[in-house]
Amino acid sequence: MSEPKAPTPAPGDTYKGWLFKWTNYIKGYQRRWFVLSNGLLSYYRTQAEMGHTCRGTINLATANIAVEDSCNFVISNGGTQTYHLKASSEVERQRWITALELAKAKAFRMQAESDDSGDESTPPAAGQGGGARNSEVQSTLRTLGSKVEDLSTCNDLIAKHGSALQRSLSELEGVRLGGETSEKIRQVTERATLFRITSNAMINACRDFLALAQAHSKRWQKALQAEREQRVRLEETLEQLAKQHNHLERAFRGATVLPPSQSNPAIDSKGSVPGKGDASDEDEENEFFDACEDVQEFITVPADPKYHRSGSNVSGISSEMGMDDGTTSLDEQSMASNPESPQSQEVVPVRKRRTRIPDKPNYSLNLWSIMKNCIGKELSKIPMPVNFNEPLSMLQRLSEDLEYYELLDRGAKCQSSLEQMCYVAAFTVSSYSTTVHRTGKPFNPLLGETFELDRLQESGYRSLCEQVSHHPPAAAHHAISERGWTLRQEIALASKFRGKYLSIMPLGSIHCIFEKSNNHYTWKKVTTTVHNIIVGKLWIDQSGEIDIVNHRTGDRCHLKFAPYSYFSRDVARKVTGVVTDKDGKAHYVLSGTWDEKMECSRVMQSSRGGENGADGRQKTVYQTLKAKELWRKTPLPEGAENMYYFSTLALTLNEPEEGVAPTDSRKRPDQRLMEQGRWEEANAEKQRLEEKQRTARREREREANRSANPEEALIEDSISDSPLKTEEVEIATEPSETTDKSGHQDSYKAMWFDRCVDPMTGEPTHIYRGGYWETKEQGNWDSCPDIF
């Protein structure tokens, strides 16, 4: 919403407009309607409140006005009233400062002169200040002249009446009276004479002052006129500088691919800023970012117009930049969705998937009673009730990475590896879009639990996840598409509860291989942080850096997920990145947010310049073509807030299906009970499954110990026949944890994945060995373990 422009103040008018006022640490800056009149600055929540409710007033006569930065300023009376204010632009801030300074000077003069005339005029505008002051001086001179004339009249009357009094006293002296009476009359005559002399001296001094004021009035008028002209010139210069500054900000900082609707530094729906303020505005919902810029690694500016002339010209430039076979699909129509292309056509699903799940019950819970004894522990080792879960397992959450699989389909058709990198980067960012509102914890998968996502007929891909380790928890994932790409990953979670927030650090690499080009990409995930664990509303943030590497060509993409900051004026959840070739030359700049969309701009030229970074080095300036949209988040289904904020895909993940493995997450009873709203039964079932898993692990460890130490196994068998109590036998036979050659604890062997060293990264990982889908076709699941 555009801000209404405040009118330029003029004599007799009040100065009104919108400003952002700091309220408190929770709400930050709030939009308020301010009115400046008669030396008083008042504010209201809305314009409609002006008729009945004033939220606060400060007298400018004793106030101090201080400028903090380009848009912020502070007004304080030295006591309990302090207003921290922010204007929408530097020009607007200067208009307010000018009006406030003039109002302060006027109020101070009125207070010093004790003038209670009730003048309701407001300070004059910048261009009229000198003329207004001339009028004030002339008015003062006229008033003084009038008073002196009054004094002169009084002097004449005093002289006239004094002479009459002296004549009367002289006549009294001629009367023969007693000596005492004559003495009294003489004293009265002397006092009357002294009074007349004093009155004459006072009137003469007033006449001298008026003559001096009149003699200097022309000089004062010339000085005031020169002051007015100089002030006007300075304000015009300042306004031009402010406009140039804003233009430079848009060119060098604000024009980093983001649209104007997302690059507004003034307002954001999720921010809150530390500072000082009143508590009366805490019930507002609008929140505001303070002005403190996050350090940017580079600057983008629009490229020279010569690069936008024609397709042939751009193609030639692409060849000069070393692009594969000079393709320009990211700058041409292929970047946009082509309604005639097969991948963009709406695919009619083979089966109708569900669009709703039962609404989340409204259960009250006390998180602190559960978490207070868990500070510093790993999240996977904390016994959590289902009250904090969502009815999906971690395997299903991992499968949600494929929600925007179309990006990989489009990437598989790219002729240029650099263009393909842009789609892979957008796919990487899109996997976080489902987490923005998902504060529920997914179920920890049981060891051996699997989840299949078969969308072969609908979307051309199928996916399989398996929990391959319990301590540390790790899940292997393998997806393959008929469109020519394969995605595999093994993710282990390291999580720590720090009291106020929870940090989740995914470990492991993600691989994406395209069959046609044989391009092999790898990257790692960033850190997820859950804030306000104890007090306040839970919210999710993603922060860190991702390096996507094409191992065949050496191309790289460096993505930066900017952490949320109370002091950042930039858009929240921002992601920026640069795609470079093996020589380090930049070809594309990526920008967007991980919860909304990603865009891409081709780099025409790059140079060192611009402002210095935090480390003292100059930032790189990229001249780019117009941005093209790579990915945009699909809106959540209606009523998602009552369904754990599940996306359309997430709503179908736990839908019962025939023919899946008996270890599939869809068959997990505690998860199914929670989805149905039967949370008490789900908690009991969850405890049963966890105890069953512990028993199975102890049995595996015993078997592993038997195989490694046959002699101890014989002793254990003899102990089992002894008359010792069950508890004593348990203690005597409890083996230590076994460790395999790779340092991986537990002797469990995954059903569908083989543990090996990744040939690309050199990391120990699990790679799909095959056989799952063939087993599903045969319907023979006899080899699957009984985990539920």
Side-chain angles (χ1 to χ4, degrees):
M1 183 178 68
S2 60
E3 299 292 340
K5 183 178 179 181
T8 303
D13 295 338
T14 57
Y15 193 49
K16 306 175 182 178
W18 291 104
L19 289 172
F20 292 93
K21 177 182 177 294
W22 171 256
T23 57
N24 52 51
Y25 284 90
I26 303 298
K27 294 298 182 182
Y29 281 92
Q30 299 293 325
R31 191 166 174 264
R32 296 291 181 261
W33 180 255
F34 280 80
V35 177
L36 176 60
S37 178
N38 296 331
L40 299 176
L41 180 65
S42 305
Y43 75 94
Y44 311 83
R45 287 185 181 171
T46 61
Q47 293 175 263
E49 282 191 348
M50 291 179 60
H52 55 83
T53 304
C54 178
R55 298 293 174 176
T57 301
I58 192 169
N59 189 352
L60 295 178
T62 58
N64 179 40
I65 303 172
V67 178
E68 290 188 339
D69 57 19
S70 60
C71 295
N72 291 51
F73 56 101
V74 179
I75 303 176
S76 175
N77 61 2
T80 58
Q81 286 182 299
T82 300
Y83 293 170
H84 293 260
L85 306 176
K86 181 190 289 289
S88 59
S89 66
E90 189 170 350
V91 175
E92 187 64 22
R93 186 217 64 183
Q94 186 57 39
R95 288 174 178 163
W96 273 101
I97 292 295
T98 301
L100 290 169
E101 292 288 357
L102 293 175
K104 177 182 177 181
K106 180 73 175 292
F108 180 78
R109 287 195 302 270
M110 293 174 65
Q111 188 179 54
E113 296 170 359
S114 298
D115 185 4
D116 297 330
S117 60
D119 181 16
E120 298 182 355
S121 62
T122 58
Q128 299 173 342
R133 292 185 178 181
N134 282 336
S135 300
E136 290 181 6
V137 171
Q138 292 174 359
S139 176
T140 302
L141 290 175
R142 286 194 298 269
T143 302
L144 289 174
S146 175
K147 296 300 180 181
V148 170
E149 289 178 1
D150 292 341
L151 289 175
S152 298
T153 302
C154 292
N155 180 61
D156 294 338
L157 292 174
I158 289 172
K160 179 179 179 180
H161 294 300
S163 299
L165 178 59
Q166 287 181 346
R167 286 196 300 272
S168 299
L169 291 174
S170 298
E171 292 174 357
L172 287 175
E173 290 178 354
V175 179
R176 294 182 176 273
L177 296 174
E180 184 177 354
T181 303
S182 299
E183 181 62 23
K184 295 291 185 183
I185 292 174
R186 186 181 64 79
Q187 292 178 359
V188 171
T189 302
E190 290 177 355
R191 291 176 180 174
T193 303
L194 291 174
F195 173 75
R196 182 172 58 84
I197 295 172
T198 304
S199 300
N200 288 335
M202 180 186 66
I203 292 175
N204 290 334
C206 292
R207 283 177 175 172
D208 292 340
F209 172 77
L210 178 61
L212 183 63
Q214 290 174 343
H216 289 79
S217 63
K218 293 183 178 180
R219 188 189 308 170
W220 292 346
Q221 290 176 4
K222 290 181 180 180
L224 289 172
Q225 180 67 18
E227 172 101 8
R228 183 188 68 83
E229 293 175 356
Q230 184 178 7
R231 188 184 187 92
V232 171
R233 286 194 300 270
L234 288 174
E235 290 182 351
E236 290 176 351
T237 303
L238 181 60
E239 187 168 355
Q240 291 176 0
L241 289 174
K243 290 179 179 178
Q244 293 176 4
H245 176 72
N246 290 337
H247 176 72
L248 288 174
E249 281 190 342
R250 287 193 299 270
F252 286 88
R253 178 180 56 78
T256 57
V257 182
L258 285 178
S261 62
Q262 292 194 8
S263 60
N264 182 7
I267 304 175
D268 187 86
S269 62
K270 296 288 181 186
S272 59
V273 191
K276 295 73 62 179
D278 302 334
S280 60
D281 301 315
E282 292 183 1
D283 58 342
E284 291 288 323
E285 295 183 356
N286 293 331
E287 296 174 352
F288 190 75
F289 282 112
D290 204 350
C292 184
E293 201 73 31
D294 186 23
V295 178
Q296 292 183 342
E297 297 181 348
F298 57 86
I299 300 172
T300 61
V301 297
D304 194 286
K306 67 182 180 180
Y307 296 124
H308 299 269
R309 291 175 184 171
S310 65
S312 60
N313 191 15
V314 174
S315 178
I317 295 170
S318 301
S319 300
E320 293 176 4
M321 294 176 63
M323 298 297 293
D324 295 353
D325 51 69
T327 183
T328 60
S329 61
L330 275 180
D331 296 310
E332 301 297 336
Q333 196 64 29
S334 64
M335 273 294 297
S337 298
N338 184 2
E340 298 179 358
S341 61
Q343 69 270 23
S344 61
Q345 292 180 351
E346 184 177 355
V347 179
V348 178
V350 174
R351 56 171 291 182
K352 185 177 181 180
R353 304 284 178 179
R354 67 180 184 182
T355 58
R356 288 199 61 84
I357 61 173
D359 288 352
K360 177 182 178 181
N362 185 18
Y363 278 89
S364 60
L365 53 109
N366 185 358
L367 180 61
W368 180 241
S369 64
I370 298 173
M371 303 295 283
K372 62 183 178 181
N373 297 322
C374 304
I375 297 177
K377 296 181 181 179
E378 282 196 37
L379 184 63
S380 60
K381 296 182 179 180
I382 301 175
M384 298 286 287
V386 300
N387 303 52
F388 304 104
N389 287 14
E390 62 179 17
L392 289 179
S393 75
M394 189 62 199
L395 301 180
Q396 292 164 314
R397 284 288 290 266
L398 199 59
S399 300
E400 283 189 68
D401 287 357
L402 298 170
E403 176 148 7
Y404 298 97
Y405 67 93
E406 299 96 338
L407 292 169
L408 297 182
D409 290 348
R410 295 166 67 186
K413 296 186 177 183
C414 289
Q415 300 297 321
S416 166
S417 62
L418 293 167
E419 290 182 17
Q420 194 176 72
M421 175 71 82
C422 293
Y423 285 110
V424 173
F427 173 79
T428 302
V429 176
S430 71
S431 63
Y432 296 97
S433 63
T434 60
T435 66
V436 63
H437 300 299
R438 302 272 290 279
T439 56
K441 172 184 172 293
F443 279 80
N444 288 332
L446 302 174
L447 188 61
E449 184 175 335
T450 61
F451 177 74
E452 69 164 66
L453 184 62
D454 191 351
R455 296 291 191 270
L456 195 63
Q457 296 182 359
E458 301 161 78
S459 305
Y461 73 88
R462 53 176 33 165
S463 161
L464 175 66
C465 290
E466 181 180 357
Q467 187 76 0
V468 295
S469 173
H470 186 62
H471 286 301
H477 180 206
H478 183 272
I480 187 168
S481 171
E482 292 181 333
R483 313 284 167 78
W485 55 264
T486 300
L487 185 77
R488 63 177 174 88
Q489 58 182 319
E490 179 180 345
I491 299 298
L493 297 179
S495 53
K496 292 293 183 180
F497 175 54
R498 301 299 186 186
K500 293 183 179 179
Y501 63 91
L502 177 69
S503 295
I504 303 172
M505 294 77 71
L507 308 175
S509 298
I510 306 172
H511 298 253
C512 184
I513 304 99
F514 292 93
E515 295 177 4
K516 182 178 179 181
S517 60
N518 202 30
N519 288 328
H520 190 137
Y521 300 88
T522 62
W523 67 92
K524 296 179 182 292
K525 289 181 175 286
V526 296
T527 299
T528 299
T529 307
V530 184
H531 293 270
N532 292 346
I533 294 293
I534 303 303
V535 179
K537 184 179 180 181
L538 294 175
W539 60 278
I540 304 289
D541 191 26
Q542 311 287 350
S543 61
E545 299 181 1
I546 295 178
D547 282 306
I548 307 175
V549 181
N550 185 341
H551 293 272
R552 186 185 72 84
T553 63
D555 301 338
R556 303 179 71 91
C557 177
H558 180 75
L559 292 174
K560 181 178 180 181
F561 288 66
Y564 174 80
S565 172
Y566 288 119
F567 306 101
S568 176
R569 70 166 61 177
D570 214 337
V571 62
R573 309 181 189 90
K574 184 176 181 180
V575 181
T576 56
V578 179
V579 176
T580 59
D581 58 22
K582 63 180 179 179
D583 299 322
K585 184 177 181 180
H587 291 265
Y588 291 97
V589 171
L590 304 176
S591 186
T593 58
W594 54 263
D595 69 324
E596 187 63 30
K597 69 174 182 177
M598 286 296 293
E599 294 180 338
C600 167
S601 298
R602 171 168 293 193
V603 176
M604 294 292 102
Q605 288 184 356
S606 63
S607 61
R608 287 284 181 180
E611 53 192 80
N612 291 335
D615 55 359
R617 295 181 300 177
Q618 287 185 321
K619 298 179 182 178
T620 302
V621 179
Y622 296 119
Q623 294 186 16
T624 61
L625 296 180
K626 184 178 179 182
K628 300 294 183 180
E629 185 173 284
L630 292 173
W631 160 77
R632 179 178 290 275
K633 180 183 177 182
T634 304
L636 294 175
E638 185 179 357
E641 65 277 3
N642 299 321
M643 299 184 293
Y644 307 90
Y645 288 99
F646 282 178
S647 64
T648 303
L649 175 63
L651 289 173
T652 67
L653 294 181
N654 206 44
E655 184 177 8
E657 281 192 26
E658 296 293 334
V660 299
T663 55
D664 196 273
S665 299
R666 299 174 179 88
K667 296 187 175 183
R668 182 165 174 168
D670 54 348
Q671 186 172 297
R672 180 67 59 193
L673 289 168
M674 182 193 177
E675 182 185 281
Q676 296 170 356
R678 299 155 63 183
W679 284 15
E680 293 182 2
E681 299 175 56
N683 275 317
E685 192 65 22
K686 181 173 181 289
Q687 293 178 8
R688 182 189 69 81
L689 292 175
E690 289 173 349
E691 183 57 35
K692 182 177 181 179
Q693 181 173 237
R694 295 188 193 101
T695 302
R697 177 173 182 175
R698 286 194 294 266
E699 184 60 31
R700 285 195 307 273
E701 290 173 344
R702 289 193 184 96
E703 291 298 329
N705 197 28
R706 286 170 180 268
S707 300
N709 303 286
E711 295 179 358
E712 293 184 10
L714 293 175
I715 297 174
E716 182 178 333
D717 291 337
S718 64
I719 293 176
S720 63
D721 297 330
S722 67
L724 296 176
K725 294 181 181 179
T726 304
E727 292 81 359
E728 294 173 342
V729 173
E730 188 75 23
I731 295 173
T733 61
E734 183 69 26
S736 59
E737 285 188 330
T738 59
T739 305
D740 61 19
K741 294 181 180 179
S742 63
H744 203 74
Q745 292 181 348
D746 204 339
S747 58
Y748 173 79
K749 182 176 177 61
M751 278 289 300
W752 311 108
F753 290 81
D754 286 330
R755 184 167 180 80
C756 61
V757 175
D758 193 301
M760 192 62 63
T761 63
E763 301 173 348
T765 186
H766 282 81
I767 297 180
Y768 179 61
R769 77 163 69 99
Y772 178 86
W773 303 107
E774 293 79 6
T775 303
K776 180 181 178 181
E777 290 178 1
Q778 298 171 3
N780 182 14
W781 300 110
D782 295 339
S783 59
C784 291
D786 178 19
I787 61 174
F788 298 142

